[in-house]
Amino acid sequence: MKLIRHVLGYVAGMLIFAFLIPYGVWAMGSLELPTFNTPLFPSSGAAAALGILLFGAGLIFIIWSNVFLFFRGKGGPADIAGVAISPRTEKLVVDGPYNYTRNPMVFGANAVYLAITIYLNSLGCLIVWSVLFVLVVIPVVRLEEKRLASDFGDSYTRYKQRTSMIIPLPGK
């Protein structure tokens, strides 16, 4: 049963975060609205190069954090609105990518979405991504942090004090 929940969690996560959201960002880039056609960079080549680099960094953080969570934490990342789709982690993971950010998957996914936005060189996509980041991502991370504080107590509180929320930074 635990294996089935792991598979379901990863399939649901990949469907939403690896296909539907990136497709939505890509589709927005083709909207025939002035804001969406306003470029971020004067050179589309520079935008493409920066987008590809950011995409690669995001992908590395997504894979790295999932591997650490699965093998070190003995659980999965899929916990939506308090419902554990995949088994919740049994151990607090504070090394690997989690040494740099408490939410390396969130960083990785958003780096990928931002990379697509930059690659498309679209001001409109950047505005939509920024609004969604502030109105959706930050509140979801805060909800997850309450659950982690409940699950791991003082260990999580100490970890939270020394580790960046989303942007990877060296540990304090």
Side-chain angles (χ1 to χ4, degrees), residues 23-24 84 128 156 165:
Y23 175 76
V128 170
Y156 183 74
M165 179 190 263

Side-chain angles (χ1 to χ4, degrees), residues 129-150:
W129 172 82
S130 300
V131 168
L132 289 175
F133 188 82
V134 170
L135 296 180
V136 176
V137 174
I138 299 295
V140 167
V141 166
R142 292 214 165 111
L143 280 173
E144 182 181 330
E145 290 194 332
K146 285 180 183 177
R147 180 189 61 81
L148 291 167
S150 173

Side-chain angles (χ1 to χ4, degrees), residues 36-132:
F36 286 89
N37 291 322
T38 302
L40 296 168
F41 301 96
S43 163
S44 59
L50 181 58
I52 290 168
L53 286 172
L54 192 55
F55 188 92
L59 198 57
I60 287 168
F61 265 86
I62 291 168
I63 294 168
W64 191 21
S65 58
N66 273 287
V67 167
F68 265 70
L69 198 60
F70 184 80
F71 288 106
R72 300 252 172 103
K74 306 294 184 207
D79 193 295
I80 301 169
V83 176
I85 296 172
S86 64
R88 287 185 173 164
T89 54
E90 297 171 8
K91 181 182 176 230
L92 180 62
V93 180
V94 299
D95 56 344
Y98 294 89
N99 185 47
Y100 304 102
T101 169
R102 298 188 306 268
N103 297 281
M105 278 179 257
V106 171
F107 167 75
N110 279 281
V112 166
Y113 308 150
L114 182 57
I116 295 168
T117 294
I118 291 170
Y119 182 85
L120 294 172
N121 204 10
S122 169
L123 176 62
C125 287
L126 180 65
I127 292 168
V128 170
W129 172 82
S130 300
V131 168
L132 289 175

